[in-house]
Amino acid sequence: MELRSGGGLRSGLESALRNAVRDGRLAPGTRLPSSRALARDLGLARNTVADAYGQLVAEGWLTARQGSGTRVAPGARPQKPVSTSVALAFPGLAAGDHLPYDLRPGSPDLSSFPRTAWVAATRQAMAKAPHDAFGYTDPRGRVELREALAEYLSRVRGVRANPDLILVCTGYVQAIGLLGRALTELGGRRIAVEALGFPDTRTVLRESGLATVELPVDEYGADVGTLSSLAAEAVLLTPAHQFPSGVALSPERRTAAVAWAHASGGVVVEDDYDGEFRYDRQPVGALQGLDPANVVYAGTASKSLAPGVRLAWLVLPQRLMEPLVRQKRLADRQSPVVDQLTLAELIAGGAYDRHVRRMRSRYRLRRDRLVTALAARAPGVRVSGIAAGLHAVIELPDGYPPEADLIKRAAQLGLAVTGMRMYGATGQRPALVVGYGTPPEHAFAGALDALCATLAP
């Protein structure tokens, strides 16, 4: 919710709520979050939210009754029809943004961003930062962050990280693009990718000059046994938690991928997707720890903190450092320094660990609520891919409508959701990919109700 107004925060909140009712994002009868919950999510004082609610009740936009909470007034009708189409675009972009509930994957709960800890870490980092930190610095990233990441990744993910071999990037997409261009510069022509995954990743790699060839994905992860026949110089894998299937790469295939790289001189790119969010046992250690000379480790703050932080990192083999630094220098010279210093302080002071532990517990509870609700209200579906991460796969049995029809039904109920076919699934049973980490806490129950209603027999 954007609070843009020249009349202050309260006025901005009032305008945002009026607009949401006018264009149908808040339908008549919709229950609004409590003033306490909304204040927490928006970073406002509770009185600011309570006063805005009171003003809109007085104007007739909302109603407030003891025991019923604050709701959109029955007579507050949208002034234009609500589109129920959900374009199959990259999750997090415009498709579905007008709907009150969002279970698309690819995002954490943004309302849980550790604002207080981030502000405190920024103050501490600014007090310590040398003057030259604010000039043109090392394209690899600030040494404070590279040292903090080396310690953290070694301790938490089993990565063998030398601060001198870490490259800080402005988000994961930039990291993959830089890597693709560096591999092309070194003579690479083809990279193997998992047959299921975010379409934009393939696009970025192709734009960098590499042709992409696909590896099938099954219950053991990507089938790396075909690598030798593909004539690829590199392979991009998600060993910890494949997206969207949710499976982990089997021990045998982890070993086989490393053996291929060692024998061929190829490069394994490890996208540590959801590596920190494992629920049923200790996280699987990073593949990079098996062979640092041939495995590139790629991590990001987009799920542990938020996509808007725009920080990612590559832990590189020595042979790739120089071409990657060259590509980074040509791309944008360096990533934002203040954010790097803040994240370094957050990690070094322990606040980052505490936040990840807290969110791991919260997401596990959400996962359990999802599984319990579907077992009771949509018993015909099968839920998979839930041992880790922020999303689940809901496999649809025979007799259910096609994915596209279910997505439209969900939109009519105010819910944005995506299907497996969006991510490259063709010959598999239809399924929905549900990002249970996405909604703010106050909206999760409503999103879960809308999902269960969509899937009701």
Side-chain angles (χ1 to χ4, degrees), residues 15-209:
S15 296
L17 289 169
R18 287 191 197 95
N19 290 335
V21 174
R22 285 192 184 105
D23 63 23
R25 284 175 290 149
L26 291 177
T30 299
R31 182 168 181 168
L32 301 182
S34 68
S35 58
R36 185 188 303 276
L38 189 59
R40 181 181 64 247
D41 291 348
L42 297 179
L44 302 177
R46 185 182 180 187
N47 285 343
T48 300
V49 178
D51 290 346
Y53 277 2
Q55 179 63 31
L56 295 177
V57 168
E59 294 177 7
W61 293 95
L62 306 177
T63 63
R65 293 187 178 87
Q66 187 69 30
S68 181
T70 304
R71 296 178 181 270
V72 178
R77 300 292 175 183
Q79 298 179 5
K80 60 181 180 180
V82 179
S83 170
T84 58
S85 63
V86 179
L88 296 184
F90 185 82
L93 297 182
D97 284 350
H98 62 284
L99 299 175
Y101 300 118
D102 191 351
L103 285 175
R104 291 170 296 175
S107 175
D109 175 2
L110 301 180
S111 71
S112 295
F113 182 82
R115 298 172 190 240
T116 301
W118 185 267
V119 170
T122 302
R123 290 196 182 107
Q124 292 165 357
M126 291 300 95
K128 298 177 182 178
H131 297 311
D132 63 5
F134 305 103
Y136 291 111
T137 65
D138 191 331
R140 291 176 298 175
R142 286 298 304 175
V143 65
E144 297 90 339
L145 179 56
R146 289 187 282 116
E147 290 178 346
L149 284 170
E151 185 279 330
Y152 176 82
L153 295 173
S154 174
R155 171 170 52 86
V156 174
R157 301 295 299 124
V159 174
R160 292 158 67 181
N162 179 334
D164 291 337
L165 296 178
I166 294 177
L167 179 71
V168 178
C169 301
T170 311
Y172 174 78
V173 170
Q174 184 190 65
I176 292 302
L178 296 178
L179 185 57
R181 289 196 287 276
L183 291 173
T184 300
E185 180 182 316
L186 293 172
R189 293 293 176 265
R190 291 156 68 89
I191 183 168
V193 297
E194 295 165 337
L196 302 177
F198 285 114
D200 278 20
T201 302
R202 294 177 180 81
T203 301
V204 170
L205 290 169
R206 293 185 192 118
E207 289 292 326
S208 72

Side-chain angles (χ1 to χ4, degrees), residues 125-427:
M126 291 300 95
K128 298 177 182 178
H131 297 311
D132 63 5
F134 305 103
Y136 291 111
T137 65
D138 191 331
R140 291 176 298 175
R142 286 298 304 175
V143 65
E144 297 90 339
L145 179 56
R146 289 187 282 116
E147 290 178 346
L149 284 170
E151 185 279 330
Y152 176 82
L153 295 173
S154 174
R155 171 170 52 86
V156 174
R157 301 295 299 124
V159 174
R160 292 158 67 181
N162 179 334
D164 291 337
L165 296 178
I166 294 177
L167 179 71
V168 178
C169 301
T170 311
Y172 174 78
V173 170
Q174 184 190 65
I176 292 302
L178 296 178
L179 185 57
R181 289 196 287 276
L183 291 173
T184 300
E185 180 182 316
L186 293 172
R189 293 293 176 265
R190 291 156 68 89
I191 183 168
V193 297
E194 295 165 337
L196 302 177
F198 285 114
D200 278 20
T201 302
R202 294 177 180 81
T203 301
V204 170
L205 290 169
R206 293 185 192 118
E207 289 292 326
S208 72
L210 295 172
T212 59
V213 291
E214 294 187 349
L215 295 175
V217 175
D218 58 24
E219 65 269 30
Y220 304 107
D223 183 1
V224 298
T226 60
L227 278 173
S228 298
S229 64
L230 294 178
E233 293 85 9
V235 58
L236 173 61
L237 301 172
T238 52
H241 192 232
Q242 203 281 327
F243 183 88
S245 71
V247 301
L249 192 65
S250 71
E252 295 78 13
R253 291 184 179 180
R254 288 165 62 93
T255 301
V258 170
W260 166 82
H262 185 76
S264 67
V267 174
V268 176
V269 183
E270 177 182 15
D271 174 2
D272 197 26
Y273 193 84
D274 289 340
E276 293 167 313
F277 294 112
R278 191 164 191 91
Y279 308 120
D280 299 326
R281 59 184 174 90
Q282 284 296 105
V284 178
L287 187 65
Q288 188 266 3
L290 298 176
D291 190 1
N294 293 299
V295 179
V296 175
Y297 175 91
T300 174
S302 66
K303 303 297 184 298
S304 58
L305 291 172
V309 173
R310 306 311 305 139
L311 287 176
W313 40 88
L314 297 173
V315 181
L316 296 164
Q318 179 69 56
R319 60 187 165 122
L320 292 180
M321 194 70 218
E322 185 177 341
L324 259 298
V325 169
R326 166 182 157 76
Q327 293 299 329
K328 175 64 176 176
R329 184 183 293 112
L330 294 174
D332 63 358
R333 188 58 173 81
Q334 64 192 51
S335 297
V337 166
V338 174
D339 290 344
Q340 290 187 63
L341 295 173
T342 299
L343 180 55
E345 187 67 35
L346 207 66
I347 295 172
Y352 186 79
D353 284 82
R354 291 191 293 273
H355 174 72
V356 170
R357 287 197 299 270
R358 182 169 59 251
M359 296 312 298
R360 186 186 297 126
S361 176
R362 182 175 299 179
Y363 292 140
R364 178 172 184 165
L365 289 174
R366 286 194 185 187
R367 180 203 67 168
D368 294 345
R369 289 172 63 187
L370 170 69
V371 172
T372 300
L374 291 175
R377 299 171 60 181
V381 304
R382 177 177 177 268
V383 185
S384 63
I386 57 173
L390 309 183
H391 76 276
V393 176
I394 300 178
E395 300 176 32
L396 307 172
D398 294 337
Y400 264 78
E403 280 181 19
D405 291 349
L406 279 178
I407 291 170
K408 290 179 181 178
R409 180 192 293 180
Q412 292 167 352
L413 294 170
L415 173 66
V417 70
T418 60
M420 281 287 282
R421 278 168 171 69
M422 174 178 177
Y423 306 107
T426 54

